Amino acid sequence: MTLLKLKRLRTCFPTRDGLVKAVNTVDLEIGANEILGLIGETGCGKSILGMSIMRLLQPSTRIEGEIIYKGQDLLKLSEAEMRKIRGKEIAMILQNPATALNPVLTVGDQIAEAIWLHQTMTKREAREKAIEVLRSVKIPSPEKMANECPHKFSGGMKERAMIAIGLACNPALIIADEPTRGLDASTKEQIIKLMKEVTEEKSMLFITHDLDAAAEICDTVAVMYAGELVECAKTGDLFGKPLHPYTMGLLDSLPCRGLKPIRGMSPSLIDYPSGCRFHPRCDYASAICEKKHPEMVKVEDRHYVRCFMYL
Amino acid sequence: MHQITKIAGYVTIILAVISFNFFLPRFMPGDPLSFLTGAPGMDMPIVLDEATRAKLLAYYGLDKPLLQQFADYMIKLMHGDLGWSTYYNAPVSSILAGRLKWTLLLIGTSTLLYIALGIVLGAISAWNRGGKSDVGLLLLLLSVGSFPPFFLGMLLIILFGVKLNLFPVFGAQSPFMAYSSPVEEAMDILHHLILPATTLVITHIGGVYLLMRNSMLNVIGEDYILTARAKGLAEWYILRKHAMKNALLPITTMIALRVGFMISGTILVETVFAYPGVGMLLFDAVMYRDYPLLQGAFLIITLVIIAANFVADMVYLRLDPRLRHD
Amino acid sequence: MTEKTIELTDLRRLWDTYSEKRIGVIGLVIMLVFIVMAVFAPYIAPHDPYELYNPMEPPGPDHLLGTNDIGQDILSELIYGARVSLFIAFFVSIVSGLIGTILGLLSGYYEHVGFFIMRIVDAFLAIPRLPLIILIAAFMRPSIWNLVIIFTILGWPITTRIIRSEVLSLRTRNYVEAARMLGAPDSYIMIKHILPNVFPLLVVRLVVEASHVILAESSLSFLGLGDPTAKSWGMILHYAFMYPTIYISDVWKWWMLPPGLCIVLTILSLMFIGYALEELVNPRLRGMTQV
């Protein structure tokens, strides 16, 4: 059962230096109860992809294609209708909880306002529900902490509070943007365990550049490079036998595999290299890679890759 | 600790103002009395009778050593003795006491109005940045803000006082009026207050508006606004609940400093509208070269402003949760 | 490290960015008109502003804006008034800007000096400006130079504070640290590395200060504390205000309105220029609003 389906999604926005083509013709599906990992280097457009689904980007941004959620195209909804989706149907956990929580409101209020908005209940009931949610993300003495402002929370606790805000209205889909960034190893472990637990009956788009975290939590993983998907497979397949040279490179750069970085730098989203966008950094590049842009091909059951080696 | 430093700072400033007030006439060329009796260059020499002259001499105590003079001055100040007004021939303190309430009324009402309006308009402007309402508000408020308060006051008098005959053009109350009820008196006072207060609000709203707009533009880019949007909250709710308070925090003290600038406008506006406050008194004191009155009025005005800044500082400490607990 | 050579192309680029802001160009044009008026006053003014004609004449071919209560030609007074107002404004803003910059550099660079200077600045800023100016002006003989001195004394603290906070943040930049480690003397670092970087901020500050001085000078003159021998716009308004029937007769249209509008337009043009410059030098605000 498909919950969310992206069809030829393109997102671009103007800047002083030129048009940023952050998301380029992305096709993607998330099934019910599926956790899909979206991995790639910083600046490859993966966060913009998440924001595009929520329609949270600047008004000057152009989003094309279709975002089909439960059969309706989110891009065709009015702003008011979209607000009913945000938080209630699809929730987003933004990166960097240190700045993503409002410093002058209590954490309890920041959770309760979403509940109160989307569900018919009194402010008092919303508040009790908020404490319940805080308890579910394992915040110690939630009754007390609900009345505190974020500066009383540690880094890990802030991340839990962000997750609590996401869970507040029991959404069907959660988009988590780099939830483990900047956390120390043991806190990261706990947060991943927590996220696994709370998304047992939900779908999640897990955006990260942390391959370990993705391997641990995701059912399926999509690899993004320079605004487009280059490989997509079940987690075991992708990490077990990666097909795209970029995915291989990413895996080789992990500490357990010898810390070999990919040579070169990731391209800017304004000017792409011709042909295959990865060819200037690719060890397997041949003449055709420079001239022609490869299409995504199905290599095995549910294993797709964008590379001429498999054509 | 933070509060102690603040309070120490205020005490120092008050002492500095008092000393300045004491030394200024004494360090000017000649002695204070030579100014009073018409120094060269003054367009209005003042003739003093012997009794007043004696009172003045006693107040300044110029025959004593400087330190002694200063000590006497401080002691008199503690007792509320601000000297003798040469023009009104009465103690400065009692004249000031009668005038202060009108100034506080004028400043109080217009300050509340222009701060509230400036904050709301600044927030709206920033929220619609680049849009028609933003550009319109920006141009309008920059333009009206460049009207000197005395000129604006004169224009309002001509338009609303003389041409349309809607409001009285001078004073704080109708002269020789017997009020039948306190409500009637209040209405009369309000009627007189509207034009001067409007003048002050218009001249000062631009500063607060710009501060709020800039602060708000910073806040809008913050991540927690995005979080609020991701919850599906309505724009107006986000503006009110999430953005306003965060935008206000960094500018509270700057707004408080503006209350200080405000007094300048008050002096001019009171003069134009012949509003019987301390500012008008300052103008009279200048016109009649009534130096003790001038210095007394200056001291009171300054102390009121310093008090206002102090209150603002304390409010700030209460507003910011990060400072409240520590 | 940072080689600071301003070339013609840089200025060209700067002007291009500036002229994107319509508001700034409008301000500049208004200011130029007033500057021309001030510089060429003797050639533009139809009469000597001190010459006495028939008092209280309404506007006519001989006196375009009529005459005042003692018979001086109001239009000529206005044109000469631009001299006094602009001279005081620019002179004070430059001199107090200079003092403020030096003290700001010193107090940002040397911590102990900074602490001491900032206490003085705090005291100055806590005291309301106009009452203080009135008090000092009342004790001094009113003359243009005395006004200049008073405004300068009161103008430097804000500049000092602004420059200081900028220096404090610049001081920790890598190139400054590097220069210090290489053993460059403090004066060299301040002039070569820090000064060029606070300069844009200073220019904005000068413009803002000039508008404050215009307002303060006209206020003081309006209260009758200006230089009685110098024709300034505030002084014209002072005499107009003291005239008993200024509101009820039509006199205000040519006696009160023109000097008032001159002050308004000057302040407005400075505010427009300042706003455009601020958007130019403050990257945080850049591109937010296209006015």
Side-chain angles (χ1 to χ4, degrees):
Chain A
M1 235 286 280
T2 307
L3 183 69
L4 178 82
K5 188 170 180 153
L6 308 182
K7 282 190 190 160
R8 309 194 65 76
L9 185 74
R10 292 165 62 92
T11 303
C12 48
F13 50 87
T15 61
R16 285 208 155 213
D17 303 315
L19 193 69
V20 174
K21 288 151 286 215
V23 179
N24 264 283
T25 344
V26 165
D27 289 283
L28 201 62
E29 266 186 54
I30 301 176
N33 294 341
E34 183 185 2
I35 296 183
L36 175 80
L38 186 62
I39 60 176
E41 291 164 303
T42 308
C44 71
K46 54 190 193 305
S47 290
I48 302 284
L49 180 93
M51 303 276 273
S52 302
I53 298 170
M54 296 291 278
R55 286 181 42 193
L56 280 175
L57 294 156
Q58 297 287 322
S60 58
T61 311
R62 280 230 323 271
I63 308 178
E64 288 162 10
E66 286 172 50
I67 302 173
I68 312 290
Y69 173 80
K70 287 188 177 169
Q72 58 179 338
D73 186 355
L74 296 186
L75 291 179
K76 294 209 170 73
L77 296 184
S78 73
E79 183 54 33
E81 287 167 323
M82 193 61 212
R83 275 207 295 273
K84 294 204 179 90
I85 300 281
R86 290 186 198 128
K88 184 163 196 263
E89 292 290 335
I90 310 176
M92 187 157 190
I93 299 170
L94 288 156
Q95 55 179 316
N96 201 357
T99 56
L101 288 167
N102 193 326
V104 299
L105 296 179
T106 66
V107 171
D109 281 347
Q110 294 187 55
I111 300 169
E113 63 181 3
I115 301 172
W116 181 66
L117 173 81
H118 290 297
Q119 293 166 13
T120 33
M121 54 170 74
T122 63
K123 286 197 172 176
R124 198 197 171 86
E125 285 165 342
R127 209 168 155 75
E128 267 154 32
K129 180 84 195 300
I131 291 170
E132 219 173 280
V133 180
L134 276 177
R135 187 172 291 124
S136 75
V137 296
K138 316 233 162 50
I139 297 261
S141 52
E143 293 88 356
K144 191 175 144 279
M145 293 312 274
N147 290 322
E148 296 290 354
C149 288
H151 71 280
K152 290 272 176 178
F153 285 56
S154 67
M157 296 251 285
K158 279 184 189 142
E159 189 59 64
R160 283 169 196 269
M162 285 304 293
I163 296 171
I165 290 176
L167 291 174
C169 298
N170 199 21
L173 172 66
I174 289 178
I175 301 174
D177 192 356
E178 303 266 18
T180 56
R181 177 181 235 162
L183 298 175
D184 62 73
S186 71
T187 317
K188 197 170 99 179
E189 200 62 38
Q190 291 169 16
I191 294 291
I192 288 181
K193 198 166 146 249
L194 174 71
M195 294 196 79
K196 238 179 179 168
E197 241 177 85
V198 297
T199 53
E200 212 141 78
E201 287 163 14
K202 293 183 194 310
S203 303
M204 177 157 74
L205 176 63
F206 188 79
I207 302 171
T208 187
H209 68 280
D210 183 340
L211 301 185
D212 291 334
E216 201 166 327
I217 196 171
C218 299
D219 303 316
T220 317
V221 174
V223 183
M224 197 167 178
Y225 183 78
E228 61 181 9
L229 297 187
V230 292
E231 186 165 1
C232 184
K234 296 197 139 202
T235 308
D237 291 345
L238 190 107
F239 286 96
K241 44 174 184 179
L243 296 178
H244 198 280
Y246 175 62
T247 316
M248 298 179 204
L250 277 182
L251 293 177
D252 285 343
S253 65
L254 286 174
C256 58
R257 302 240 198 136
L259 262 173
K260 249 192 0 244
I262 307 172
R263 66 188 163 90
M265 300 230 289
S266 43
S268 93
L269 294 171
I270 296 170
D271 279 316
Y272 295 125
S274 63
C276 172
R277 287 169 188 171
F278 187 59
H279 85 263
R281 302 170 73 186
C282 182
D283 293 331
Y284 307 91
S286 58
I288 188 169
C289 301
E290 206 175 318
K291 294 192 195 89
K292 246 186 108 194
H293 185 239
E295 290 298 316
M296 201 80 156
V297 288
K298 186 173 176 179
V299 178
E300 283 168 40
D301 183 38
R302 305 192 65 184
H303 198 150
Y304 301 83
V305 68
R306 189 190 294 275
C307 181
F308 286 112
M309 292 200 290
Y310 307 97
L311 270 173
Chain B
M1 188 57 213
H2 190 69
Q3 265 147 322
I4 295 171
T5 344
K6 280 265 174 222
I7 291 170
Y10 280 109
V11 172
T12 325
I13 289 165
I14 291 173
L15 284 177
V17 169
I18 292 173
S19 327
F20 176 78
N21 216 5
F22 169 81
F23 285 112
L24 186 69
R26 288 171 174 82
F27 281 176
M28 284 294 152
D31 65 69
L33 285 189
S34 74
F35 278 96
L36 296 173
T37 47
M42 295 291 160
D43 39 4
M44 213 177 294
I46 307 291
V47 183
L48 298 175
D49 61 62
E50 269 313 305
T52 316
R53 205 185 152 78
K55 276 192 185 115
L56 271 177
L57 264 178
Y59 180 72
Y60 281 110
L62 293 172
D63 44 340
K64 294 177 202 144
L66 199 61
L67 263 177
Q68 176 75 42
Q69 284 180 42
F70 189 65
D72 289 350
Y73 175 78
M74 289 303 281
I75 290 167
K76 279 181 186 151
L77 212 56
M78 300 285 183
H79 291 93
D81 182 358
L82 289 169
W84 191 263
S85 160
T86 49
Y87 176 69
Y88 291 96
N89 206 9
V92 169
S93 50
S94 66
I95 301 170
L96 282 172
R99 296 294 191 95
L100 196 58
K101 60 171 192 252
W102 295 116
T103 297
L104 290 179
L105 176 69
L106 181 58
I107 292 189
T109 45
S110 35
T111 302
L112 285 181
L113 272 174
Y114 85 78
I115 289 181
L117 276 174
I119 285 170
V120 171
L121 293 179
I124 291 174
S125 206
W127 206 250
N128 304 310
R129 64 194 173 285
K132 276 204 178 76
S133 56
D134 177 34
V135 176
L137 275 173
L138 187 68
L139 285 177
L140 177 74
L141 292 180
L142 276 184
S143 307
V144 296
S146 53
F147 276 70
F150 52 91
F151 181 55
L152 188 65
M154 289 165 90
L155 288 179
L156 290 182
I157 286 178
I158 288 169
L159 185 61
F160 293 102
V162 180
K163 299 273 181 235
L164 298 175
N165 202 12
L166 288 175
F167 299 101
V169 298
F170 70 90
Q173 280 173 298
S174 304
F176 315 117
M177 182 91 158
Y179 297 109
S180 58
S181 68
V183 178
E184 197 189 338
E185 185 177 3
M187 288 312 287
D188 187 47
I189 290 173
L190 185 67
H191 202 206
H192 281 80
L193 185 65
I194 288 175
L195 279 190
T198 308
T199 314
L200 282 176
V201 169
I202 292 177
T203 33
H204 288 90
I205 194 170
V208 176
Y209 163 83
L210 270 187
L211 275 177
M212 184 63 184
R213 183 173 174 274
N214 279 353
S215 180
M216 200 69 174
L217 285 177
N218 281 340
V219 167
I220 286 171
E222 293 284 351
D223 287 346
Y224 52 78
I225 298 295
L226 207 57
T227 309
R229 286 222 171 90
K231 287 181 208 168
L233 303 174
E235 290 290 301
W236 180 245
Y237 179 88
I238 300 174
L239 170 72
R240 201 164 47 83
K241 190 94 192 222
H242 285 264
M244 290 277 260
K245 200 174 170 193
N246 280 293
L248 276 175
L249 279 178
I251 60 172
T252 319
T253 42
M254 280 186 268
I255 290 179
L257 269 179
R258 296 201 153 257
V259 180
F261 301 155
M262 169 105 189
I263 203 76
S264 312
T266 314
I267 296 169
L268 296 161
V269 166
E270 284 184 8
T271 303
V272 170
F273 288 92
Y275 202 81
V278 182
M280 170 83 188
L281 200 62
L282 204 66
F283 177 71
D284 283 345
V286 168
M287 286 295 289
Y288 302 114
R289 306 283 157 187
D290 187 341
Y291 286 91
L293 186 60
L294 182 61
Q295 286 187 276
F298 170 76
L299 197 63
I300 290 301
I301 286 173
T302 312
L303 290 182
V304 167
I305 287 166
I306 292 172
N309 284 344
F310 181 73
V311 170
D313 264 347
M314 294 300 124
V315 169
Y316 180 71
L317 288 178
R318 286 218 54 80
L319 269 178
D320 193 338
R322 282 159 294 194
L323 292 173
R324 199 190 302 154
H325 296 288
D326 303 334
Chain C
M1 259 162 279
T2 53
E3 198 64 45
K4 287 270 170 188
T5 43
I6 295 176
E7 290 178 8
L8 219 60
T9 50
D10 288 339
L11 289 176
R12 173 86 220 167
R13 200 168 35 92
L14 215 58
W15 167 250
D16 285 345
T17 332
Y18 179 86
S19 54
E20 264 174 32
K21 308 263 173 246
R22 250 177 297 159
I23 204 173
V25 177
I26 296 171
L28 217 54
V29 169
I30 301 175
M31 185 39 69
L32 277 177
V33 171
F34 280 117
I35 290 175
V36 167
M37 208 162 116
V39 172
F40 299 105
Y43 305 100
I44 301 173
H47 299 280
D48 178 346
Y50 294 96
E51 187 73 42
L52 302 180
Y53 304 92
N54 280 337
M56 297 315 289
E57 250 185 66
D62 208 24
H63 302 286
L64 286 176
L65 288 175
T67 57
N68 66 15
D69 54 342
I70 55 169
Q72 291 165 330
D73 181 60
I74 294 174
L75 180 61
S76 307
E77 279 191 292
L78 268 187
I79 293 170
Y80 274 87
R83 287 193 152 185
V84 177
S85 302
L86 291 188
F87 168 75
I88 296 183
F90 288 131
F91 192 89
V92 169
S93 91
I94 289 170
V95 174
S96 76
L98 208 65
I99 299 172
T101 307
I102 294 170
L103 291 176
L105 281 177
L106 291 177
S107 66
Y109 204 82
Y110 302 107
E111 222 166 286
H112 296 289
V113 182
F115 181 82
F116 182 67
I117 294 178
M118 288 326 283
R119 295 289 78 75
I120 302 175
V121 166
D122 282 345
F124 263 97
L125 290 182
I127 301 171
R129 247 166 104 153
L130 191 68
L132 188 62
I133 293 174
I134 292 174
L135 188 66
I136 300 175
F139 277 104
M140 280 163 99
R141 267 177 80 152
S143 78
I144 289 190
W145 288 109
N146 278 346
L147 290 183
V148 165
I149 292 169
I150 296 173
F151 292 142
T152 309
I153 290 173
L154 295 175
W156 68 269
I158 300 178
T159 313
T160 303
R161 174 180 269 187
I162 291 172
I163 299 291
R164 175 177 181 264
S165 63
E166 188 68 10
V167 174
L168 282 180
S169 81
L170 286 171
R171 227 170 59 136
T172 56
R173 299 277 166 88
N174 288 336
Y175 58 86
V176 176
E177 299 263 319
R180 205 174 344 188
M181 271 178 241
L182 287 172
D186 290 350
S187 57
Y188 176 85
I189 295 175
M190 266 190 259
I191 290 168
K192 197 81 183 174
H193 291 296
I194 293 181
L195 195 59
N197 285 300
V198 298
F199 195 72
L201 214 64
L202 181 64
V203 174
V204 176
R205 171 73 201 131
L206 291 187
V207 173
V208 175
E209 177 65 13
S211 73
H212 286 171
V213 174
I214 298 249
L215 185 61
E217 184 275 327
S218 61
S219 304
L220 212 53
S221 301
F222 174 77
L223 291 175
L225 284 168
D227 186 339
T229 61
K231 294 272 171 210
S232 82
W233 296 325
M235 203 56 118
I236 304 175
L237 274 172
H238 170 70
Y239 289 117
F241 174 66
M242 300 305 266
Y243 190 70
T245 58
I246 183 74
Y247 298 132
I248 37 181
S249 60
D250 272 346
V251 186
W252 64 272
K253 285 181 189 157
W254 55 86
W255 196 3
M256 187 199 105
L257 211 51
L261 289 180
C262 281
I263 299 172
V264 170
L265 282 174
T266 318
I267 294 175
L268 196 62
S269 74
L270 287 169
M271 272 165 83
F272 280 0
I273 295 171
Y275 185 84
L277 283 175
E278 181 146 13
E279 294 228 341
L280 198 68
V281 302
N282 191 343
R284 179 167 57 75
L285 298 173
R286 194 176 296 162
M288 285 275 194
T289 322
Q290 298 293 336
V291 187

